[in-house]
Amino acid sequence: MKKIFLSAILISAICYFSSCSSVTDISGTWVKPATPARKYSKIVVIGMMDDIVKKSTIENSIVKDLRSKGINAVAGSNIMPENLYDADKNGLIDDKDKDKALIASDLKDQGVDGAFIFSLTDTKEQEHYVPGTTYYQPYTGYYPFYNYFYTSYERVHTPGYITKSTNVFYASNFYNVSTGDLIWSAQSETINPLSLNDFAKSYSSAVVDDFLNSGLIIK
């Protein structure tokens, strides 16, 4: 019984520590054919979403990962004055057309030649049934084999339970600002993010690695 108890503690500890961060999977990647690799002077990272806190958190996480790889990047939230799109300070973009107009007219003037744009495409909640387990352990008063029919066993049973998880799907696109061409695109799925910061770290790490592994960027 003591061994079973210790095993249960060990399993619980492994499950606890392994759930400290979410996992992001790249489910699909596309690269424009015959696109030569080149060096970009400045890449702007832009989140297409109304929630400014979420937008800036994810943008800055991607910028951090790009810079750690030697890529000059800047968050869209940092080069777009907040009062331009959130004059009433309610945390939401007042007019989406303002954001689009700024992207179209000002990026080149600010020395930006590449644009990394991401957006939420879907969120799904799923339920998973985890079956219970049963352990058998003979009583200490164990009978010999020839009297086995007198022997009874203690049953230790843990009931099954249902867990819920949230899967978040994002689309990530990279554009050559000079030509306006889409040259890289990826779809990602993040499983059960625990918080905004947890999601931002997991998502940015996965998409930046995939983006740089595409062979389109010269550092």
Side-chain angles (χ1 to χ4, degrees), residues 27 46-47 49-50 58 105-106 142-143 175 177 190 206-207 210:
S27 54
I46 302 172
M49 54 188 61
D50 290 342
I58 302 173
S105 62
D106 289 355
Y142 184 71
Y143 290 94
Y175 294 86
V177 172
T190 303
V207 295
D210 190 86

Side-chain angles (χ1 to χ4, degrees), residues 161-193:
Y161 57 93
I162 293 176
T163 63
K164 293 183 178 181
S165 64
T166 301
N167 295 2
V168 182
F169 301 84
Y170 266 69
S172 310
N173 298 310
F174 183 74
Y175 294 86
N176 181 321
V177 172
S178 300
T179 63
D181 292 337
L182 172 66
I183 62 174
W184 171 87
S185 182
Q187 293 179 332
S188 65
E189 175 184 2
T190 303
I191 302 171
N192 211 27

